[in-house]
Amino acid sequence: SFTMNMYLFVYDLMQFCGHSWIFTNMIIRFMTFGKDSLADTFYSIGLVMRLCQLFSVLEILHILIGIDKSRLLPRFLQIMERIIVLFVVINSQEEVQGKYVVCVLFFLWNLLDVVRYTYNMLARMGIYYLPLTWLNFSLCIPLYPLSVLAKGFAICVSLPYFESFGTYSIKLPFPFTFSIYFPYVLKMYLLVLFTGMCFIIQNLFYERTAHLGTGNIKNKRS
């Protein structure tokens, strides 16, 4: 148990460092270059962002093997949403990478993750600060729907490029008559994205109630 707890602490620490670097870099660049910094957000921090999101897949494994008590399906959906939008939509279309929506999306993701991994690190050591606990389980409720809207907008912006370049669209040769037109796949995924949002928001309220209930707050204060 101690070994697993230390492993989770190191994992949270690495994610905190990565997301803090991204978040700080975005703020400094915006303060230095203004709106000009928004267009090349992906080029300046995209590599670290991709690494952090790839590492986040480990959180699914943590739940499966039982060292993390979070609910599997909501966490799986949140992670896969980011993986799909970041690697399939943004990373594959260079024209999308310079859009302002990418900067907005990265800002929302990293703001949420800096708070979440800070809370997780302290929780591994049995330290609970009520303001941080409240922020961790409250901030995600308004910001997560905003991030879903940004994801949806990024997908809509990418559709013309997927249509023009035929990226990921597959047409099987004769005698098969089956083909996959990827813009249609993305449009169907938009429905899944917004349907899943309702389920995840419900889970976020459940977690907030579970952690910020009167009894839990008294126990953490003591």
Side-chain angles (χ1 to χ4, degrees):
S1 178
F2 175 78
T3 303
M4 289 296 98
N5 199 53
M6 285 300 299
Y7 161 74
L8 290 174
F9 176 83
V10 172
Y11 168 80
D12 291 330
L13 177 61
M14 291 177 61
Q15 288 282 37
F16 169 79
C17 292
H19 288 289
S20 296
W21 181 88
I22 295 172
F23 191 68
T24 304
N25 186 286
M26 292 181 66
I27 293 176
I28 293 176
R29 286 176 54 81
F30 181 76
M31 293 176 63
T32 304
F33 303 106
K35 291 184 179 180
D36 293 337
S37 66
L38 303 181
D40 63 346
T41 296
F42 185 85
Y43 304 102
S44 60
I45 64 174
L47 176 60
V48 180
M49 191 70 199
R50 281 172 284 181
L51 289 174
C52 288
Q53 295 309 314
L54 283 176
F55 276 119
S56 70
V57 177
L58 289 174
E59 296 178 25
I60 300 174
L61 179 62
H62 297 164
I63 299 173
L64 288 174
I65 64 179
I67 62 175
D68 188 342
K69 302 304 180 183
S70 302
R71 299 174 69 184
L72 176 60
L73 184 56
R75 194 74 198 114
F76 174 80
L77 291 176
Q78 288 177 291
I79 291 173
M80 293 312 298
E81 284 174 7
R82 293 190 181 189
I83 293 292
I84 291 172
V85 172
L86 179 59
F87 287 91
V88 177
V89 176
I90 299 175
N91 191 63
S92 66
Q93 299 296 337
E94 188 174 352
E95 291 77 7
V96 178
Q97 296 169 11
K99 304 294 184 182
Y100 288 171
V101 67
V102 175
C103 181
V104 173
L105 194 56
F106 284 7
F107 180 84
L108 293 173
W109 285 355
N110 286 281
L111 177 57
L112 288 170
D113 285 339
V114 167
V115 173
R116 183 166 70 90
Y117 288 115
T118 301
Y119 171 83
N120 287 347
M121 282 192 300
L122 295 176
R124 307 294 179 199
M125 299 185 292
I127 301 173
Y128 297 93
Y129 291 111
L130 182 56
L132 180 60
T133 303
W134 182 90
L135 188 65
N136 180 61
F137 292 102
S138 301
L139 187 65
C140 55
I141 292 176
L143 292 192
Y144 175 73
L146 290 178
S147 72
V148 172
L149 289 176
K151 292 171 194 173
F153 187 74
I155 292 174
C156 291
V157 168
S158 71
L159 286 175
Y161 302 107
F162 280 104
E163 292 171 354
S164 299
F165 303 136
T167 310
Y168 301 134
S169 294
I170 301 173
K171 186 175 182 179
L172 298 178
F174 184 83
F176 303 100
T177 58
F178 181 76
S179 62
I180 299 176
Y181 187 56
F182 196 70
Y184 290 163
V185 176
L186 287 179
K187 290 176 182 178
M188 289 187 291
Y189 177 69
L190 281 173
L191 297 176
V192 176
L193 184 65
F194 285 99
T195 302
M197 179 184 70
C198 300
F199 170 73
I200 292 175
I201 290 176
Q202 183 181 13
N203 182 71
L204 293 176
F205 276 104
Y206 169 81
E207 289 185 344
R208 187 180 189 277
T209 302
H211 288 83
L212 296 178
T214 304
N216 287 325
I217 292 176
K218 289 180 179 179
N219 291 333
K220 290 175 181 178
R221 281 178 174 173
S222 60

